[in-house]
Amino acid sequence: MKLWIPDVAGREAIGELPEGVELGLIPGDGDLPDAMLDAEFLVPRGRGLGEMLAQMRSLRVIQTLSAGVDWLLPMVPTGVTLCDAAGTRDIAVAEWVITSILSCTRTFPELRDAQRRHEWAWRQSDELSGRTVMILGYGEIGRAVEARLAPFGVELIRVARHRHDGVHPVQELGALLPLADVVVVLLPLTAETTGQLDADALARL
């Protein structure tokens, strides 16, 4: 089997491959090698495959490094199995979410810009404690975000496709949005979710 993976730091963690598996490395820069056309199992690094996927006649499986696959779906040839990486980036994404919330609440971008201009002016920033945070698209990543929000003393509104214990169905989103100080959007990009946060929804915040 011909396996192609990105040539990036950490690839040595793949370890010893079974007999009969031939490993190819996808370069980070420059043109993609013609030898990739014979790939049977592909781990794409990102975008840029373009028309090459359609020419991979032996391709059987694509394994992404991301939970989202919307960027790749239109290009997957018929008969090829597409696998996402759901669950592998829960903590990393949750940490990014917490960082973003705190940065905005504490006006870090504005303070950084003022520092670069060598300006100092006292300003009052908000506190996260006591705020209401909505997690829209409450799944594994949402639970990881919730766990990291716990020490901050926030109120949580959980919203998912279907109602569960402590989780509101998405049909109640319009009524819940005015209650939220912060909205964390963890929805997959699909035909169903596209446009869900439209101008009317944003106006309710």
Side-chain angles (χ1 to χ4, degrees):
M1 182 183 71
K2 296 184 178 180
L3 165 66
W4 281 79
I5 67 171
D7 186 9
V8 294
R11 61 175 173 78
E12 65 278 359
I14 196 171
E16 185 177 352
L17 294 170
E19 185 178 349
V21 177
E22 179 182 331
L23 180 64
L25 299 177
I26 306 171
D29 300 312
D31 296 331
L32 298 177
D34 291 337
M36 277 184 62
L37 294 175
D38 296 325
E40 298 171 73
F41 194 115
L42 178 66
V43 182
R45 182 178 184 183
R47 303 157 208 270
L49 290 174
E51 298 178 356
M52 184 174 256
L53 275 178
Q55 302 175 49
M56 294 181 177
R57 304 302 181 188
S58 301
L59 188 61
R60 296 293 174 265
V61 178
I62 299 175
Q63 171 66 63
T64 69
L65 297 175
S66 59
V69 295
D70 53 277
W71 60 276
L72 190 56
L73 277 174
M75 297 185 288
V76 177
T78 302
V80 173
T81 299
L82 175 61
C83 306
D84 64 30
T88 63
R89 304 295 296 163
D90 295 353
I91 293 175
V93 174
E95 289 181 354
W96 187 92
V97 168
I98 301 303
T99 301
S100 297
I101 293 174
L102 288 173
S103 293
C104 292
T105 303
R106 289 296 185 175
T107 67
F108 282 176
E110 291 85 353
L111 293 173
R112 175 206 58 207
D113 293 344
Q115 184 183 48
R116 288 175 176 173
R117 295 191 302 267
H118 302 283
E119 297 175 359
W120 184 89
W122 183 88
R123 67 169 66 207
Q124 178 71 46
S125 63
D126 293 326
E127 296 181 3
L128 180 55
S129 178
R131 298 287 184 174
T132 299
V133 178
M134 173 186 289
I135 300 178
L136 177 56
Y138 186 77
E140 291 300 322
I141 296 177
R143 282 183 276 275
V145 170
E146 178 176 4
R148 284 150 185 82
L149 281 173
F152 292 96
V154 301
E155 295 290 330
L156 280 175
I157 301 175
R158 307 168 190 87
V159 182
R161 182 182 300 177
H162 304 294
R163 183 188 300 276
H164 305 286
D165 289 341
V167 181
H168 298 270
V170 72
Q171 290 80 6
E172 298 178 5
L173 180 62
L176 294 170
L177 283 171
L179 306 177
D181 299 301
V182 177
V183 178
V184 179
V185 182
L186 300 174
L187 297 170
L189 181 58
T190 65
E192 184 180 357
T193 61
T194 297
Q196 199 161 77
L197 284 178
D198 56 13
D200 177 68
L202 294 176
R204 294 172 183 266
L205 292 173

